[in-house]
Amino acid sequence: MRRRVPGGRMVGILVMLVFGWVGLVAAQVTLNVVTAGDTNMHDLQRNVFAPEFEKRNPGVKINAVGSGPGDPGSRVIANKLKSQKDAGVAKWDVDVAIVHQIVMPDLIQQDLVAKYAPEISTWKLMTAADGRNALGFNVEGYVMPMFHSQVALAYNPDMVQSPPNTFEELVAWIKGNPKKFGYNGVKGGMSGVAFTTGWAYWKTGLYEKYAKGPYDKSTQAGWPAAIKELKSLPVTLTTGNNDTLDRLNRGEIAMGPVWVDMLIDLKNQGRMDPKIRMKLISPGFPGQPMYLVVPKQAANYQAAKKYVEFITSPEIQAKVIVERNGWYPGIDGKHVLPHVSAKAKSMLFQDVPPDELAKYGLSFPLSQHFKDLLTAYEEN
């Protein structure tokens, strides 16, 4: 015979259970989010994503940590996960990581990240090729692109009345306007690397082989002559992407390859001449995503998936990725654009509409071709 519990006492027990559980969760879940990239990437997690996610998910606190800029920042994350795995740690202290393409082979081959993406609702909204392949390596299911960053030519329309449509037209313009085209080589940042890579794609016509493999060093036979031709042009070498933008803003140069998001960010801040425009020329320039990955032994695996789902939702992609940062979305743009303001849509897509981005937005080559190209640039 079961004993009956008085109604008032039952209510009290339920209240204690419900609110006690919530309080316990609130005290328990701290999601460790580690991001590679410059301070802007850390600030994005700490000051934008984290407060909104915490507001929507009472009981979860985001601890955002930056691991440093560039590929080395991603290496730091991979090395940390590897050390925890080697030490036999049961639950790792990184729940979500934001990394560059270059470390994905190591993360997957060393069994450091989970094939989690098909388990979240936004997976079916992701159609980007770089969401399935990174520098020739299959990453399908292991990553969700947080955004796609693209290099394009920025130009001053007062100085360039008819912007080039192709590399051939660009070369003719550079020769007719000495020192008015600026780029930052391959040691001053990735916009210069992307321009040099696009140049190699154009001169050899072997984009498919470089980007999809298999690796074949014999396909690089034309690189020395192509790089010598590039270096013979009367250009202005800048110290980095910011220097290219600054010189463009001051009218010292008329055109140069830059990251689209950095140009838009400066415009949003009122620090760039608003009339500066963009152009993607044939056969195209490479861009790159940043990936959201979940470590294999993440201590808060379910909450980690929810955080990735939040960042890759159409609403957040529209408001944060496109409107705030000027990046192209990580999921298919057709799900994002209905949520984007007319002003942001115009700023991002007026000069580079989605169809041109799909046509001329290329991938960087396989990692070995990529390393070889940087070496060839220095040696020729």
Side-chain angles (χ1 to χ4, degrees):
M1 182 177 177
R2 288 186 294 176
R3 293 177 56 192
R4 295 190 60 188
V5 179
R9 186 180 168 194
M10 177 63 81
V11 171
I13 291 172
L14 288 173
V15 169
M16 182 181 70
L17 287 173
V18 171
F19 289 96
W21 182 81
V22 170
L24 185 62
V25 169
Q28 283 185 335
V29 179
T30 296
L31 204 63
N32 291 315
V33 177
V34 184
T35 179
D38 221 324
T39 53
N40 65 321
M41 293 292 290
H42 183 205
D43 291 343
L44 178 65
Q45 296 298 327
R46 184 181 57 185
N47 300 328
V48 181
F49 289 139
E52 184 64 23
F53 187 77
E54 290 171 352
K55 186 172 71 176
R56 298 183 186 200
N57 297 273
V60 180
K61 181 172 177 55
I62 303 297
N63 177 39
V65 178
S67 61
D71 292 342
S74 291
R75 295 283 180 203
V76 168
I77 295 172
N79 292 339
K80 179 174 179 56
L81 296 177
K82 179 70 163 46
S83 66
Q84 292 187 82
K85 179 188 176 188
D86 291 346
V89 177
K91 296 295 181 183
W92 303 345
D93 62 4
V94 178
D95 295 303
V96 177
I98 296 93
V99 298
H100 298 85
Q101 291 180 296
I102 195 74
V103 297
M104 286 312 302
D106 288 342
L107 290 175
I108 293 174
Q109 290 170 342
Q110 297 185 58
D111 200 26
L112 300 176
V113 289
K115 199 170 186 177
Y116 77 99
E119 301 171 11
I120 65 176
S121 63
T122 51
W123 166 248
K124 62 181 181 295
L125 308 180
M126 197 284 294
T127 56
D130 56 22
R132 293 179 166 79
N133 188 289
L135 308 179
F137 189 82
N138 182 10
V139 296
E140 185 168 0
Y142 291 93
V143 306
M144 281 292 286
M146 190 169 79
F147 62 81
H148 179 86
S149 194
Q150 180 64 44
V151 168
L153 287 182
Y155 68 95
N156 184 332
D158 290 343
M159 303 168 75
V160 186
Q161 281 78 34
S162 299
N165 296 301
T166 65
F167 266 95
E168 288 90 342
E169 293 179 11
L170 174 62
V171 169
W173 188 92
I174 291 173
K175 289 179 177 177
N177 298 272
K179 298 294 184 182
K180 291 300 182 183
F181 178 87
Y183 83 108
N184 51 316
V186 299
K187 286 189 172 179
M190 287 298 288
S191 57
V193 173
F195 175 70
T196 302
T197 304
W199 178 277
Y201 289 162
W202 165 57
K203 296 300 291 186
T204 63
L206 297 176
Y207 167 66
E208 293 290 326
K209 288 185 179 295
Y210 297 140
K212 298 179 181 177
Y215 173 73
D216 179 0
K217 193 170 179 60
S218 69
T219 61
Q220 302 173 7
W223 287 5
I227 290 170
K228 286 175 182 173
E229 181 183 345
L230 171 59
K231 289 185 173 179
S232 72
L233 295 176
V235 304
T236 294
L237 280 177
T238 66
T239 59
N241 193 76
N242 285 336
D243 190 29
T244 303
L245 286 165
D246 287 344
R247 288 171 185 260
L248 190 64
N249 201 31
R250 293 194 296 265
E252 295 174 12
I253 61 174
M255 186 160 42
V258 300
W259 289 110
V260 169
D261 59 287
M262 295 186 72
L263 173 61
I264 291 178
D265 183 48
L266 289 176
K267 282 189 173 184
N268 282 334
Q269 295 180 45
R271 295 169 54 201
M272 173 61 69
D273 186 341
K275 66 175 176 288
I276 300 298
R277 300 191 63 177
M278 301 183 292
K279 181 86 178 181
L280 256 182
I281 64 173
S282 174
F285 293 131
Q288 62 180 0
M290 286 293 280
Y291 289 142
L292 291 150
V293 299
V294 176
K296 193 74 173 284
Q297 298 299 119
N300 299 292
Y301 184 75
Q302 296 302 327
K305 288 194 299 181
K306 196 168 185 177
Y307 189 66
V308 175
E309 205 169 55
F310 161 76
I311 291 176
T312 54
S313 65
E315 175 199 359
I316 298 302
Q317 288 278 300
K319 300 305 177 190
V320 179
I321 299 300
V322 176
E323 290 190 6
R324 180 184 183 277
N325 290 286
W327 288 316
Y328 294 101
I331 62 173
D332 193 321
K334 69 182 179 186
H335 303 293
V336 178
L337 288 182
H339 304 274
V340 176
S341 70
K343 178 185 175 185
K345 197 181 300 183
S346 171
M347 191 172 286
L348 191 58
F349 292 110
Q350 178 187 18
D351 292 334
V352 184
D355 59 334
E356 287 196 13
L357 179 63
K359 189 174 181 180
Y360 300 130
L362 306 179
S363 298
F364 278 102
L366 305 182
S367 57
Q368 190 57 55
H369 277 310
F370 185 68
K371 294 174 184 174
D372 292 348
L373 181 61
L374 299 184
T375 301
Y377 185 91
E378 293 299 309
E379 292 178 346
N380 290 279

